[in-house]
Each structure stands twice: as structure tokens, then as C-alpha cells.
Amino acid sequence: MAESPEEVAVLVQRVVKDIRNAFQRNPHIDEIGLIPCPEARYNRSPIVLVENKLGVESWCVKFLLPYVHNKLLLYRQRKQWLNKDELIDITCTLLLLNPDFTTAWNVRRWVLQQLIQENSLPSLATKGNLGATPVERIHRLVQEEMNVCSEAAGRYPSNYNAWSHRIWVLQHLAKLTVKILLDELSSTKYWVSMHVSDHSGFHYRQFLLNSLIHRTVTDSNILVQNQMVNEQNPSLQKEEESAGTEAVCAEEQSVDLPRRLDEEMELCSELIDNYPGHETLWCHRRCVFYLQQRLSNKLPLMSAVVSSVDNSEESLNNSHHSPATSHMAQAMDVDGLNESSSKQGYTQETKRLKRAPVQDSLGPEMEYRFVDKVLSTCRDVDQARFATAYRKCSKDEDNKDF
């Protein structure tokens, strides 16, 4: 057993290195726990990795936690220098042992900011750099941070720091990419189903849904505006703008926002039925209902703008082609078969927007029926109270001008 400060330092450095190597060997670790062991019985590492489970023998915690905590504080006080790799290892170890330690999250965020600046430097793309490209490095950083946040959130209930850090990573590292937003929405579904009282987890899903709506509707607005400008000034079209438009179309076509919100409502209904009396579920349902109402008032506006652009395009075509040619071109355009058109990406996008399902006026009535069903079958006092309060809030939201 290590007793002197030098022996403790050597021991802790070895344990921190073993933890880092464990995550490198298996990035899919889904559970971390302490192994009851009052003292070191064998001359071996106290870190045990079995399949996707990571165990830490309890005897080393009394050495490990004070050491990494003191190291981090000395660095914050500028009394000791640590490089970025050492900071990542120390903060990772500290957050595994104390997931709600705010200073560790702040230091980790600062390190990530430095890595973002380094990855944005042109020197990383030179021939001399034989490692991963900046984009690959950023994606790897995002995945590593998501794993750390998931472990911290699972070990400390309602871990505000972990979920806030996860949102920060999406905003600054992932840049709210639609694909990553959808991946996060899928990966956190099981987690919130197992933690129905954790408001922080559901708030994170609300952030994901809200970001998807903002990205999709905003990008579509930009798409339509660019098309209107190009219709008025055909000579201003550029190849890079067309490529950007096609990329936006390809990314956004896979996002069916009404269906995503309907699936979230179904998840709320299932959890409310299976776990009655949890106010977090009703608060989340209210937020999803609000997003549905807001989206239903945005999509008709988008369809109206798209229709006006289509009408102007049709008038322009009629003024340059004969009736027979115009009829054939219109039919081919509706079917999305006009391969020779330079606006194929826009045509597919506008047809998708016009055909997108729009929420009708039955939304509030469906919520009232759901509440009536819950009140007629529930025996939990809190469940009845939350359902009654939700009905009142739904009526208030229905009367608002979204």
C-alpha cells in the first residue's frame, strides 16, 4: 500500500492512465461502479474492464480523488502547469468520481475551446499531418464528450452541469448539425425512459427538438429566398450556391418534423401511463405540445411562400414556351423527373414542403381526450392533479397567438 506522497503520486498517475486506456480500448462503456475492496490484495491495477462495464476497486478512491482534485485546483490557481492531455485525463477521472464538480466541467470546456481553435488552423490540413483530419477529430471529440456526459448524468441525478455541458458541445463542436441532433434524439430516448423524474434529461430533448425546428425551418426559408432572388436575376446563380442548396436539400429531406413530434408525444403517453405521478413527464408533454402548435403555424407560411414562387416560375415558363411544351414540362416537374432542370434540388424541396403534413385544429381536442382518459382510469392523486393542471395549461396555450 502506497503511503508516502511520492508513492501516492506514482500510484494515482498509473490509475489515471489505466482509466484512459480503458476508454480507448472500449469507447462503448455503459456502466461504471465501485468494487468493494478495503485494501489492495494483489499487485495489479485497480481498474477492471469486463465487456462494457468498468469497475474501480474502492481502496484506491481515497488516494485518487484528493490527488486529482488538488491537481486541478493548483492548475486553476496557476501554481502548476498541465498540458491539455493531462487536463483531459484528470477531469475525466474527477468527473467519474464526482460528476457534479463544476470546476472540472469548466476546465474541460476550456480545453475543448483550445482544441477547437487548433483544429481550425490551416496547418492541420497540410501534408505533414498524417493523423485524422480536423473534421474527424471534431467528430471524435463530440463522441467522447457525449460518453462522459452520459456517464456523469447516470451517476448523479439531475446533473445540471453534465446536461449543460452536453448542450454546449452540440452548439460549439457539433454546430447543431441535423444528423447529430437526430442521433442524440435517438440515443437519449432509452435514458429518459429509465429516469422519468430527471427533468434535466427531458429538457435536453426539448433543446434537440427546438433546434431541429429552428434549423429545418430557417434553412428552408433561406432556400426559398435564394430561389426567389435567382428567379429575378438568373445571371447571379453560382455553382457554389447550387451545391450548397443541394446539400441543404439532401440533409433536410430526411427530417419529418411533425412525425418526430408525434413520436415524442407517443413516448410521453407511454411513460405517463406506465409511471403515473411524475410531474416531469407532464411538463415535457406540455413543451412538446407547444412545439407542435408553433410548427403548425410555421409550415403553412412556408407553403404559401413556396406556392408563390412556383406560380411565378410557372408564369415565366408559360411566357417562353408553347402550351404543349409547357404542359409537358409542368407534368415532368410535378413528378420530379425533370433531370435537365438546373433547379432540381429546389423543386424536390418545394414539393416536400407543400406535401408536408400540417397539424390541424384537432391537436388541442386530442390532448383533452388524452387527459380525460387519464383522469378516468388513474388512482394516483398526484397523477390526477398533474393531469388537471395540464388541461388548464393546454387551454391557455390554445388561446395564445403562436
Side-chain angles (χ1 to χ4, degrees):
M1 181 73 67
E3 295 181 358
S4 67
E6 293 78 10
E7 292 176 332
V8 171
V10 172
L11 170 66
V12 171
Q13 290 172 5
R14 188 185 70 178
V15 174
V16 171
K17 182 179 179 180
D18 290 341
I19 293 176
R20 179 188 62 195
N21 292 337
F23 277 97
Q24 290 179 348
R25 292 199 308 270
N26 187 353
H28 304 292
I29 294 175
D30 55 12
E31 186 177 344
I32 300 175
L34 291 178
I35 301 175
C37 186
E39 59 183 17
R41 299 180 180 179
Y42 307 100
N43 186 20
R44 65 183 185 187
S45 173
I47 305 302
V48 180
L49 179 63
V50 179
E51 296 180 351
N52 294 338
K53 316 300 179 183
L54 180 66
V56 180
E57 293 183 357
S58 59
W59 65 265
C60 72
V61 174
K62 62 181 180 181
F63 301 108
L64 187 60
L65 184 57
Y67 182 86
V68 294
H69 183 271
N70 186 55
K71 277 275 189 181
L72 191 60
L73 291 183
L74 289 176
Y75 174 80
R76 291 286 289 177
Q77 297 169 3
R78 299 185 178 182
K79 296 181 179 180
Q80 183 175 1
W81 170 252
L82 298 172
N83 60 39
K84 286 186 284 292
D85 292 336
E86 291 173 333
L87 283 173
I88 288 291
D89 291 341
I90 286 179
T91 54
C92 180
T93 303
L94 186 55
L95 291 173
L96 291 178
L97 301 175
N98 185 9
D100 199 39
F101 190 46
T102 305
T103 301
W105 290 110
N106 291 337
V107 171
R108 197 173 184 90
R109 197 169 302 175
W110 178 85
V111 174
L112 291 174
Q113 288 176 332
Q114 306 305 309
L115 294 176
I116 292 174
Q117 294 178 2
E118 290 182 1
N119 283 328
S120 64
L121 294 177
S123 59
L124 289 173
T126 60
K127 294 182 180 180
N129 181 24
L130 301 179
T133 63
V135 175
E136 293 174 345
R137 294 179 64 184
I138 291 295
H139 287 172
R140 186 170 64 247
L141 281 175
V142 171
Q143 187 59 46
E144 291 175 355
E145 289 305 298
M146 294 305 172
N147 292 337
V148 173
C149 293
S150 297
E151 295 297 337
R155 292 176 60 82
Y156 191 91
S158 297
N159 195 330
Y160 170 81
N161 290 312
W163 292 105
S164 297
H165 183 77
R166 195 164 187 159
I167 291 177
W168 185 92
V169 170
L170 286 181
Q171 292 174 330
H172 294 84
L173 265 72
K175 302 300 181 182
L176 295 178
T177 307
V178 171
K179 181 181 183 303
I180 295 182
L181 291 174
L182 293 175
D183 291 342
E184 283 294 286
L185 198 63
S186 176
S187 63
T188 56
K189 182 177 180 179
Y190 176 78
W191 195 96
V192 297
S193 299
M194 296 293 101
H195 302 79
V196 293
S197 295
D198 195 318
H199 179 76
S200 297
F202 284 98
H203 176 266
Y204 180 72
R205 291 183 67 82
Q206 295 163 18
F207 168 80
L208 295 175
L209 293 170
N210 195 30
S211 299
L212 280 173
I213 293 175
H214 177 74
R215 286 299 301 270
T216 304
V217 175
T218 301
D219 290 346
S220 299
N221 278 326
I222 295 174
L223 184 66
V224 173
Q225 291 172 4
N226 291 340
Q227 178 62 23
M228 294 178 69
V229 172
N230 292 335
E231 286 294 334
Q232 297 174 0
N233 304 280
S235 60
L236 297 180
Q237 294 184 358
K238 299 180 181 180
E239 293 183 0
E240 58 267 21
E241 293 177 350
S242 299
T245 299
E246 291 178 359
V248 171
C249 292
E251 184 179 37
E252 306 302 339
Q253 277 181 347
S254 61
V255 182
D256 188 348
L257 289 176
R259 181 177 65 84
R260 296 284 178 180
L261 293 176
D262 287 342
E263 291 177 351
E264 195 69 15
M265 272 297 195
E266 293 176 1
L267 175 64
C268 291
S269 300
E270 179 181 352
L271 295 179
I272 288 174
D273 289 338
N274 294 335
Y275 305 98
H278 290 274
E279 186 178 13
T280 299
L281 301 176
W282 289 98
C283 291
H284 182 60
R285 187 181 185 93
R286 179 186 177 187
C287 180
V288 177
F289 174 71
Y290 167 78
L291 293 177
Q292 283 184 326
Q293 297 302 303
R294 195 180 71 173
L295 181 64
S296 67
N297 284 272
K298 283 189 175 183
L299 286 180
L301 295 177
M302 283 296 305
S303 299
V305 174
V306 170
S307 299
S308 65
V309 175
D310 281 350
N311 292 335
S312 62
E313 181 183 357
E314 182 179 354
S315 300
L316 183 63
N317 291 334
N318 290 336
S319 63
H320 288 82
H321 302 282
S322 63
T325 305
S326 176
H327 177 74
M328 293 178 60
Q330 183 180 1
M332 293 178 67
D333 180 67
V334 169
D335 293 336
L337 300 175
N338 193 356
E339 298 291 344
S340 62
S341 174
S342 61
K343 311 181 190 66
Q344 181 186 9
Y346 163 74
T347 301
Q348 293 177 354
E349 177 69 11
T350 54
K351 296 303 181 290
R352 182 186 70 82
L353 286 172
K354 290 195 295 183
R355 294 171 183 170
V358 180
Q359 293 287 335
D360 53 24
S361 59
L362 293 178
E365 283 71 17
M366 293 178 62
E367 290 303 290
Y368 299 154
R369 288 199 293 268
F370 173 78
V371 172
D372 291 338
K373 174 179 174 293
V374 170
L375 291 175
S376 63
T377 57
C378 77
R379 298 180 179 179
D380 187 272
V381 177
D382 290 333
Q383 180 87 319
R385 179 164 56 89
F386 296 147
T388 303
Y390 178 79
R391 175 196 286 275
K392 182 179 182 300
C393 292
S394 299
K395 289 182 179 180
D396 294 341
E397 297 292 350
D398 188 25
N399 294 330
K400 285 183 180 179
D401 184 8
F402 290 90

